[in-house]
Amino acid sequence: MKRWKFFKEGIKNLKQVGTVTRSSKFVCKEMLSHIDFSKAKVIIELGAGDGVITKHILKQMRPDAKLITFEILDKFIPDLESIQDERLIVAHDSAERMGYYLEQIGADKTDAIVSALPFVLLPDALREDILQKSSEYLVEGGPFVQLHYSLSKKKYYKEAFGNVDVNFVPLNIPPAFVLVSEKRA
Ligand SMILES: C[S@@+](CC[C@H](N)C(=O)[O-])C[C@H]1O[C@@H](n2cnc3c(N)ncnc32)[C@H](O)[C@@H]1O
């Protein structure tokens, strides 16, 4: 999708998308630096947009790994489905349905979750459900990596995972924070 089209979709659906620009390559790099790609066999992405992070994940993924990527907005689905990669499963569905898609590929856990969901704008009950499921389906030691544009909601992850680290990425519009929590026993 062209940059201006993403901008248009962002404006039209601001409550769902939460931004009008896709993530920079610096954000993608920071987010993915928390994943051990040599070991990860199943990765989940939440809020794929038109697939900017998705493509970076696929570049680094093992040949035998699977990526399940969630996106609810119809307009972004053709871009995701046009990515020619057998390891990618595009879930045109809401993120809390991750258990169903894991079951479809015969997995009961995911090794990592990468999320750009605009949690600040989602209803509390939906956010809590998605974070509870993320914690339930992550393997022990697995990272939950979340993009934010402020630190005001850091507590969400502290509450869900009991821990959260903050990384700042200035080279993004707007400057971004990458929050990382680890699934612990
Ligand atoms: C900030 S955009 C991120 C797009 C892209 N990953 C990036 O980093 O540029 C957030 C995306 O989350 C999607 N989204 C919002 N709520 C969702 C939900 N409940 N389940 C799946 N995707 C959702 C929006 O439609 C939007 O495309």
Side-chain angles (χ1 to χ4, degrees), residues 57-68 85-89:
I57 298 173
L58 289 166
K59 262 190 219 150
Q60 297 190 47
M61 244 171 53
R62 291 166 59 108
D64 61 346
K66 292 276 183 209
L67 169 61
I68 308 172
D85 194 312
E86 286 186 350
R87 299 169 300 168
L88 174 66
I89 295 118

Short mmCIF file of all heavy atoms in Angstrom, two decimals, residues 57-68 85-89:
data_model
loop_
_atom_site.label_atom_id
_atom_site.label_comp_id
_atom_site.label_asym_id
_atom_site.label_seq_id
_atom_site.Cartn_x
_atom_site.Cartn_y
_atom_site.Cartn_z
N ILE A 57 9.66 -9.60 9.72
CA ILE A 57 9.65 -10.86 10.49
C ILE A 57 9.98 -12.02 9.54
O ILE A 57 10.83 -12.86 9.83
CB ILE A 57 8.28 -11.11 11.17
CG1 ILE A 57 7.95 -10.01 12.18
CG2 ILE A 57 8.25 -12.48 11.85
CD1 ILE A 57 6.54 -10.08 12.79
N LEU A 58 9.30 -12.05 8.39
CA LEU A 58 9.48 -13.16 7.45
C LEU A 58 10.94 -13.25 6.98
O LEU A 58 11.48 -14.34 6.78
CB LEU A 58 8.54 -13.01 6.26
CG LEU A 58 7.05 -13.27 6.59
CD1 LEU A 58 6.16 -12.78 5.45
CD2 LEU A 58 6.79 -14.75 6.88
N LYS A 59 11.58 -12.11 6.82
CA LYS A 59 12.98 -12.09 6.36
C LYS A 59 13.89 -12.81 7.34
O LYS A 59 14.88 -13.40 6.95
CB LYS A 59 13.46 -10.63 6.23
CG LYS A 59 13.39 -10.11 4.80
CD LYS A 59 14.08 -8.77 4.68
CE LYS A 59 13.26 -7.90 3.75
NZ LYS A 59 13.34 -6.48 4.02
N GLN A 60 13.55 -12.71 8.63
CA GLN A 60 14.45 -13.27 9.64
C GLN A 60 14.02 -14.66 10.13
O GLN A 60 14.77 -15.31 10.85
CB GLN A 60 14.48 -12.33 10.85
CG GLN A 60 15.06 -10.97 10.49
CD GLN A 60 15.31 -10.13 11.74
OE1 GLN A 60 15.88 -10.60 12.71
NE2 GLN A 60 14.86 -8.91 11.71
N MET A 61 12.82 -15.09 9.75
CA MET A 61 12.26 -16.33 10.30
C MET A 61 12.92 -17.59 9.74
O MET A 61 13.34 -17.61 8.59
CB MET A 61 10.76 -16.38 9.97
CG MET A 61 9.87 -16.35 11.16
SD MET A 61 8.12 -16.15 10.75
CE MET A 61 7.79 -17.44 9.58
N ARG A 62 12.95 -18.63 10.54
CA ARG A 62 13.44 -19.94 10.08
C ARG A 62 12.57 -20.43 8.92
O ARG A 62 11.38 -20.11 8.86
CB ARG A 62 13.27 -20.98 11.21
CG ARG A 62 14.15 -20.81 12.40
CD ARG A 62 13.65 -21.67 13.54
NE ARG A 62 13.63 -23.08 13.18
CZ ARG A 62 14.48 -23.99 13.65
NH1 ARG A 62 15.40 -23.64 14.53
NH2 ARG A 62 14.41 -25.25 13.28
N PRO A 63 13.13 -21.27 8.04
CA PRO A 63 12.34 -21.79 6.92
C PRO A 63 11.17 -22.65 7.38
O PRO A 63 10.16 -22.75 6.69
CB PRO A 63 13.33 -22.63 6.10
CG PRO A 63 14.67 -22.42 6.71
CD PRO A 63 14.54 -21.68 8.00
N ASP A 64 11.29 -23.28 8.56
CA ASP A 64 10.23 -24.17 9.03
C ASP A 64 9.32 -23.49 10.07
O ASP A 64 8.53 -24.17 10.73
CB ASP A 64 10.83 -25.46 9.62
CG ASP A 64 11.73 -25.17 10.81
OD1 ASP A 64 12.11 -23.99 11.03
OD2 ASP A 64 12.06 -26.11 11.55
N ALA A 65 9.43 -22.19 10.19
CA ALA A 65 8.59 -21.48 11.19
C ALA A 65 7.30 -21.00 10.55
O ALA A 65 7.15 -21.00 9.32
CB ALA A 65 9.38 -20.30 11.76
N LYS A 66 6.35 -20.64 11.41
CA LYS A 66 5.06 -20.09 10.95
C LYS A 66 4.82 -18.73 11.60
O LYS A 66 5.13 -18.55 12.78
CB LYS A 66 3.89 -21.00 11.35
CG LYS A 66 3.88 -22.34 10.65
CD LYS A 66 3.21 -22.22 9.30
CE LYS A 66 3.13 -23.57 8.61
NZ LYS A 66 3.14 -23.47 7.15
N LEU A 67 4.23 -17.82 10.82
CA LEU A 67 3.83 -16.51 11.34
C LEU A 67 2.33 -16.35 11.16
O LEU A 67 1.82 -16.45 10.03
CB LEU A 67 4.56 -15.40 10.58
CG LEU A 67 4.07 -13.96 10.83
CD1 LEU A 67 4.24 -13.57 12.30
CD2 LEU A 67 4.84 -12.96 9.94
N ILE A 68 1.62 -16.16 12.28
CA ILE A 68 0.18 -15.86 12.20
C ILE A 68 0.04 -14.37 12.43
O ILE A 68 0.44 -13.86 13.49
CB ILE A 68 -0.63 -16.63 13.26
CG1 ILE A 68 -0.31 -18.13 13.21
CG2 ILE A 68 -2.13 -16.40 13.06
CD1 ILE A 68 -0.94 -18.93 14.36
N ASP A 85 4.36 -16.03 0.71
CA ASP A 85 5.23 -16.77 1.62
C ASP A 85 4.38 -17.83 2.30
O ASP A 85 3.42 -17.50 3.01
CB ASP A 85 5.86 -15.81 2.65
CG ASP A 85 7.02 -16.45 3.39
OD1 ASP A 85 6.88 -17.59 3.88
OD2 ASP A 85 8.07 -15.80 3.48
N GLU A 86 4.76 -19.08 2.10
CA GLU A 86 3.94 -20.18 2.65
C GLU A 86 3.96 -20.24 4.17
O GLU A 86 3.13 -20.90 4.78
CB GLU A 86 4.44 -21.50 2.08
CG GLU A 86 4.03 -21.67 0.64
CD GLU A 86 4.38 -23.04 0.08
OE1 GLU A 86 5.10 -23.79 0.77
OE2 GLU A 86 3.92 -23.31 -1.04
N ARG A 87 4.91 -19.54 4.77
CA ARG A 87 5.00 -19.58 6.24
C ARG A 87 4.02 -18.62 6.90
O ARG A 87 3.82 -18.66 8.09
CB ARG A 87 6.43 -19.21 6.68
CG ARG A 87 7.49 -20.17 6.14
CD ARG A 87 8.88 -19.62 6.38
NE ARG A 87 9.06 -18.34 5.70
CZ ARG A 87 10.08 -17.51 5.91
NH1 ARG A 87 11.01 -17.84 6.79
NH2 ARG A 87 10.18 -16.38 5.25
N LEU A 88 3.40 -17.77 6.07
CA LEU A 88 2.51 -16.72 6.61
C LEU A 88 1.04 -17.15 6.60
O LEU A 88 0.52 -17.58 5.56
CB LEU A 88 2.68 -15.45 5.77
CG LEU A 88 1.73 -14.28 6.09
CD1 LEU A 88 1.99 -13.73 7.50
CD2 LEU A 88 1.89 -13.16 5.06
N ILE A 89 0.38 -16.99 7.75
CA ILE A 89 -1.07 -17.20 7.83
C ILE A 89 -1.69 -15.84 8.15
O ILE A 89 -1.40 -15.26 9.21
CB ILE A 89 -1.45 -18.21 8.93
CG1 ILE A 89 -0.90 -19.58 8.56
CG2 ILE A 89 -2.96 -18.30 9.15
CD1 ILE A 89 0.10 -20.10 9.52
#
